[in-house]
Amino acid sequence: MKTIICKNYEEMSARAAEIVADVMKADPACVLGLATGSTPVGMYKKLIDMNKAGEIDFSKVTTVNLDEYYPIAPDNDQSYRYFMNENLFNHVNIDKTKTYVPDGMAADPDEACAAYEALVKKVGPADIQVLGIGQNGHIGFNEPADALEVATHVTGLTESTIKANARFFASESDVPTKALTMGIGTILSAKKIIILANGAAKAEAVKKMLAGKLDTSCPASMLNLHADVTVICDEAAVI
Ligand code: PGA
């Protein structure tokens, strides 16, 4: 894995945005695999600025997001669909009908996961997948476990993730306990992957990911199987 260590969050966000912009310039009809969470917000801001400056064009772009809480309505301000609209889609010239997020309202979540897996295969694979990393090493909602899932699936959130995400909800008990998420195989199907990490809270997870072992207690370590992964982090996230 290639590692880019940046001075701070600002620089990290700029480097990540440049890499995504290069993919968009090489193929204006590209497929972007996108992530939610606080980490990529700065990168999305830069992409919005570049779009407004006429440097990048989203009109032909398709996006596939990693995951969504379950159950959650798309207009709930904590849903990942809402997050993507607020942090990127509402501010760029993208055709929202070509932006995909797993269906947090699906009557049959297993069926919705199978349909999402098929959709990613049909529109994809993603030309680039953007990832954050959990403090526990998760990617998407692939939480540490004895065995990791290959394809898009319904999963329970670990206590650690519920606690980490409680800051966005009125209380910890409001955090949904399930999610629909791409599996490790879905993520690895992307042609190129960037994973962003900032702050000391991510340092242990980043270290485990970079240790060169496939360790299911750090799902991000599975990225070692991919030939084109760039880790973009700030100094605090590296120990
Ligand atoms: P964060 O989440 O960007 O809000 O830290 C990252 C993740 O859990 O994947």
Side-chain angles (χ1 to χ4, degrees):
M1 285 195 260
K2 183 176 162 198
T3 307
I4 300 176
I5 302 171
C6 301
K7 274 202 280 301
N8 51 39
Y9 180 70
E10 179 73 16
E11 190 185 313
M12 223 182 89
S13 301
R15 289 298 291 270
E18 270 166 34
I19 294 173
V20 173
D22 284 347
V23 170
M24 294 174 66
K25 286 175 194 166
D27 179 5
C30 65
V31 179
L32 303 179
L34 299 178
T36 53
S38 46
T39 312
V41 170
M43 180 196 76
Y44 290 139
K45 286 205 172 85
K46 303 269 179 203
L47 290 173
I48 292 166
D49 290 346
M50 286 184 204
N51 182 237
K52 289 202 193 311
E55 291 165 32
I56 53 172
D57 174 22
F58 282 87
S59 64
K60 297 190 183 68
V61 167
T62 298
T63 66
V64 286
N65 259 78
L66 276 175
D67 49 12
E68 178 61 283
Y69 287 117
Y70 188 82
I72 202 160
D75 60 354
N76 181 315
D77 65 4
Q78 291 309 323
S79 77
Y80 287 169
R81 160 54 70 184
Y82 189 94
F83 174 102
M84 289 311 303
N85 288 345
E86 285 292 302
N87 286 285
L88 183 65
F89 302 151
N90 287 347
H91 311 287
V92 294
N93 68 328
I94 200 161
D95 172 359
K96 271 203 202 144
T97 64
K98 292 196 295 188
T99 66
Y100 300 101
V101 179
D103 181 4
M105 291 294 276
D108 182 337
D110 291 315
E111 203 172 275
C113 287
Y116 198 75
E117 184 71 16
L119 172 97
V120 174
K121 282 203 172 72
K122 185 170 155 234
V123 303
D127 292 287
I128 184 167
Q129 176 67 55
V130 178
L131 298 172
I133 181 169
Q135 291 175 31
N136 62 2
H138 74 196
I139 46 175
F141 275 122
N142 294 277
E143 302 280 24
D146 291 341
L148 302 174
E149 297 281 342
V150 174
T152 305
H153 60 284
V154 184
T155 186
L157 271 48
T158 58
E159 206 48 46
S160 139
T161 297
I162 291 172
K163 276 195 180 6
N165 291 7
R167 68 191 194 275
F168 302 114
F169 289 83
S171 76
E172 203 174 302
S173 60
D174 289 327
V175 184
T177 54
K178 288 186 182 169
L180 312 184
T181 182
M182 284 186 188
I184 299 293
T186 332
I187 292 170
L188 289 175
S189 74
K191 293 180 193 160
K192 181 181 187 70
I193 296 175
I194 58 173
I195 179 159
L196 280 53
N198 68 297
K202 300 290 174 69
E204 276 301 330
V206 169
K207 187 176 166 194
K208 233 171 163 180
M209 167 175 70
L210 294 175
K213 288 196 165 41
L214 300 177
D215 180 349
T216 63
S217 75
C218 177
S221 70
M222 298 299 146
L223 298 177
N224 286 290
L225 291 170
H226 196 282
D228 187 356
V229 179
T230 304
V231 183
I232 307 173
C233 49
D234 71 353
E235 287 170 357
V238 188
I239 45 172

